[in-house]
Amino acid sequence: MKTTKRWSVRGLQALGVLVLLGLGACHSSLGTGGSAGASAPPAGLHYNRNEVVYQLGTQIEPNTPTSSGSPITQYAITPALPTGLQINAATGVISGTPQALSEVTLYTVTGSSTAGVATAGLVISVTAPAVPPGSPGVPPSNLGYASQSAVYTVGQPIPPNEPTVQGGDVTYAVQPALPAGLAIDPVTGIISGTPTLVSAQASNTVTASNTAGAASTVLQISVTAPPPVAPLSLSYREPLALYAAGEPILPNLPQSTGGAISAFGVTPALPQGLSIDANDGTIAGTPQGTQPAASYTVTGSNVTGAVSAVVSITVVPPGTWVPTGSMSSPRIFYTATVLPDGKVLVAGGNNGGGSVLNTADLYDPGTGAWTPTGSMNDVRSSHTATLLPDGKVLVAGGTSTSGSILSAAELYDPATGTWTPAGSMNDVRTGHTATLLPDGKVLVAGGSDITSTPRNTAELYDPATGTWTPTGSMNDARFLHTATLLPDGKVLVAGGQGIASLLSAAELYDPATGTWAPTGSMNDARYFHTATLLPDGKVLVAGGQGGGSTAELYDPATGTWAPTGSMNDARVWHTATLLPDGKVLVTGGRGGAGNSVLSATELYDPATGTWTQTGSMNTERERHDAVLLLDGKVLIMGGDSNTIFLNTAELYVP
């Protein structure tokens, strides 16, 4: 059983999108003119960066809001920003230096004018730096720009194009020279300026370097002459949008080709509480009521022409489950990983027909569709999958069709959709755990061999060298346990199947020393349970074989476990997902009346230590998987319902 994880930091940084929603200004009209008049309420309120991950102790780049309609004169935000950050009540600009860690949290910004108000959703988290700030000894990696491909116009200042890069401090250089009038800042890497000459599309290689190494990325830049050409196409990130009534949406961003669009309008009027930014086409806000799927035509225009796109919007009550597209094959004991671009990779597993799979599928949250991607080199189930800092996915170990246990590992590259070998572990393993450490290495621990004998060995995968190295062994041999990365960088391993019996014992791995130390034991021995890191740093363990409906909390400060409220249903082979509001969603599993498979789901509230039932899934499921999507929804897929193996999927709308 995998440990449920939060949103991928690497995914959040790479994606950089999350949108904000205007309340009260949802009646935009078609037109070719500029912004709405001063008498119109503010609309389409959103930020330059709607989904951001900051580092503790590092001053942030000010985040500036944008809206159309009447000018906003006062801003407010709830809940309070992380310590060290503040919002300017007059301008809405968020700035400061984070002074405390903060989990992924959805904030609501309210902007007021004399004509009305608009709201926007903003996701912020604060993480500890993987290396000390300013450390020049770490080579840069994963260099990218907010705009990798851009078309600029002579005489029009370009929006500053900002880079993102991992590693130590770097300096920037570009070859060949940028188009006339544009320049790169060697310290910040920001590209800015006003183009002065027309230039055809060219490839400009930007290199970020320090004493330890270099990373490069290629920008495609062209400069066109005025007057603007007509826009050629218009589309939206979410053409099939699914929202919860009363909850701020992630802004739905447009993409277009051809000439720049200068004005946007929509017909019919968007659902109450949603609005469109007449200047950049962003759809944002907080829907106020439920409605079935309805189509809205967005038109974007400039002085030379217009294009249109159709967006379907469905609004359901919070806590609703909605079917989405189905995978190409039924799967149990597979892996599901959210990629940096927001898509979901599922790989391997057992199809219920006696075959172990090497196939993989990609889920697109914008369309709700699954498409096949490259197949793994090995068939495998009960393996692990880990998203690496460079955006690739490491798959390791597992069981083959013949029942043999694997030591082989491989890497999935989202850029090419292909798999390449990644060396072999020192031990064959199935039912093990894999944890991404703060230094970018992957800790693999425990598991069993072909005789179902638990292992106590552990090893590290280094993406920089592609090699596996043994590290300290656990005090207890175990498989089907959980592993949780704690805020201090240590790894908590708990429960599992031991050599002679189920385990209640837990222990901590210290990456600084490569050693394991016992910590407090759980109140119940259990395996096939779930473990979830809560926003306060405690770990919630729930259910599992031996655990029934019980749940308990591990406190890293004291190294002790304490019972917390019990679930409404006993569960094994269930899932647990941490939601943006800090609650934990538990779904399905086996353990109902007569040991039946469950469709029931429930929520754990850390503030009260209690469980409450929420909407039931459309299908009973066990041995399925669940991932938190970048827009806050939860995707459930696969598993089995008694004797029926499933390829179906559905979405939970918080």
Side-chain angles (χ1 to χ4, degrees):
M1 179 67 65
K2 301 197 301 300
T3 300
T4 304
K5 294 183 172 60
R6 295 305 306 270
W7 296 3
S8 161
V9 169
R10 167 67 174 81
L12 292 174
Q13 291 173 330
L15 197 54
V17 291
L18 192 162
V19 246
L20 287 158
L21 316 163
L23 209 228
C26 59
H27 299 287
S28 298
S29 59
L30 296 176
T32 59
S35 61
S39 62
L45 174 61
H46 61 288
Y47 273 74
N48 291 344
R49 293 172 301 284
N50 299 296
E51 182 178 328
V52 286
V53 179
Y54 297 129
Q55 283 194 348
L56 184 69
T58 300
Q59 184 175 4
I60 73 170
E61 180 181 355
N63 199 359
T64 303
T66 300
S67 64
S68 61
S70 62
I72 293 175
T73 56
Q74 186 173 2
Y75 293 83
I77 190 167
T78 185
L81 288 167
T83 303
L85 299 184
Q86 56 275 329
I87 186 171
N88 187 305
T91 66
V93 173
I94 294 172
S95 60
T97 301
Q99 301 298 321
L101 298 176
S102 176
E103 293 292 324
V104 177
T105 302
L106 177 64
Y107 296 85
T108 299
V109 178
T110 302
S112 306
S113 75
T114 56
V117 298
T119 59
L122 179 62
V123 169
I124 297 175
S125 61
V126 180
T127 65
V131 298
S135 172
V138 179
S141 63
N142 192 31
L143 174 63
Y145 272 78
S147 178
Q148 292 286 139
S149 179
V151 178
Y152 301 128
T153 302
V154 169
Q156 296 183 5
I158 73 169
N161 197 1
E162 301 178 6
T164 57
V165 67
Q166 295 177 332
D169 290 343
V170 294
T171 57
Y172 296 84
V174 62
Q175 288 291 334
L178 294 167
L182 302 184
I184 186 170
D185 187 313
V187 176
T188 66
I190 295 175
I191 295 173
S192 60
T194 301
T196 58
L197 296 174
V198 173
S199 64
Q201 186 180 70
S203 299
N204 298 88
T205 300
V206 177
T207 301
S209 60
N210 60 22
T211 57
S216 297
T217 188
V218 177
L219 305 181
Q220 302 292 333
I221 299 176
S222 62
V223 180
T224 62
V229 297
L232 298 178
S233 68
L234 175 64
S235 61
Y236 272 79
R237 182 174 60 86
E238 282 190 286
L240 301 175
L242 174 63
Y243 302 134
E247 299 293 331
I249 72 169
L250 290 182
N252 200 357
L253 302 176
Q255 300 95 33
S256 64
T257 61
I261 296 174
S262 58
F264 290 84
V266 62
T267 185
L270 292 171
Q272 183 182 4
L274 299 184
S275 61
I276 187 169
D277 188 318
N279 298 323
D280 67 16
T282 297
I283 296 174
T286 302
Q288 297 304 297
T290 62
Q291 68 166 44
S295 295
Y296 301 87
T297 300
V298 178
T299 300
S301 61
N302 61 21
V303 296
T304 61
V307 289
S308 295
V310 175
V311 176
S312 173
I313 297 177
T314 304
V315 185
V316 298
T320 298
W321 290 89
V322 178
T324 187
S326 296
M327 299 183 292
S328 60
S329 301
R331 298 177 193 266
I332 61 170
F333 298 137
Y334 59 97
T335 56
T337 309
V338 180
L339 301 178
D341 63 0
K343 294 181 179 179
V344 180
L345 171 72
V346 297
N350 189 310
N351 71 353
S355 296
V356 179
L357 304 172
N358 68 342
T359 58
D361 288 344
L362 285 174
Y363 176 77
D364 185 343
T367 63
W370 295 85
T371 56
T373 187
S375 294
M376 297 185 291
N377 296 282
D378 291 294
V379 299
R380 57 181 90 215
S381 66
S382 297
H383 51 290
T384 58
T386 309
L387 181 67
L388 301 179
D390 64 0
K392 295 180 180 178
V393 178
L394 172 70
V395 162
T399 305
S400 71
T401 300
S402 64
S404 61
I405 311 301
L406 303 172
S407 63
E410 49 192 300
L411 289 170
Y412 176 77
D413 187 347
T416 61
T418 57
W419 298 83
T420 56
S424 292
M425 298 182 290
N426 294 277
D427 290 310
V428 297
R429 302 178 191 271
T430 189
H432 52 292
T433 58
T435 308
L436 181 66
L437 301 177
D439 64 0
K441 295 180 181 178
V442 178
L443 171 70
V444 168
S448 67
D449 60 17
I450 196 169
T451 65
S452 295
T453 300
R455 296 189 180 279
N456 69 340
T457 59
E459 50 192 299
L460 295 169
Y461 175 77
D462 187 346
T465 61
T467 56
W468 294 87
T469 305
T471 188
S473 293
M474 295 185 291
N475 295 279
D476 289 293
R478 61 182 88 212
F479 70 104
L480 302 177
H481 53 287
T482 57
T484 309
L485 180 66
L486 301 178
D488 64 0
K490 294 180 180 179
V491 178
L492 171 70
V493 162
Q497 175 65 54
I499 292 177
S501 62
L502 298 183
L503 298 174
S504 62
E507 48 191 301
L508 293 169
Y509 176 78
D510 187 345
T513 62
T515 58
W516 296 84
T519 188
S521 293
M522 295 186 294
N523 295 279
D524 291 296
R526 59 181 92 214
Y527 77 138
F528 279 129
H529 54 289
T530 57
T532 310
L533 179 66
L534 301 178
D536 64 0
K538 294 180 181 179
V539 178
L540 171 71
V541 164
Q545 190 69 39
S549 63
T550 65
E552 47 191 303
L553 291 171
Y554 176 77
D555 187 345
T558 61
T560 58
W561 295 84
T564 187
S566 292
M567 296 184 291
N568 294 278
D569 291 291
R571 300 175 190 266
V572 64
W573 287 326
H574 54 291
T575 67
T577 307
L578 183 65
L579 301 179
D581 64 1
K583 294 180 180 178
V584 179
L585 172 70
V586 166
T587 71
R590 180 178 289 271
N595 199 32
S596 60
V597 179
L598 299 168
S599 63
T601 68
E602 47 191 304
L603 292 169
Y604 176 78
D605 187 346
T608 61
T610 57
W611 296 85
T612 56
Q613 292 179 324
T614 184
S616 293
M617 296 183 292
N618 294 281
T619 304
E620 301 89 353
R621 298 176 192 269
E622 64 173 346
R623 298 186 286 186
H624 54 295
D625 211 337
V627 293
L628 182 68
L629 301 179
L630 298 183
D631 63 1
K633 300 184 186 75
V634 178
L635 173 68
I636 299 285
M637 70 229 90
D640 70 88
S641 178
N642 293 306
T643 60
I644 302 173
F645 287 74
L646 305 170
N647 69 338
T648 58
E650 45 191 303
L651 292 167
Y652 177 75
V653 187

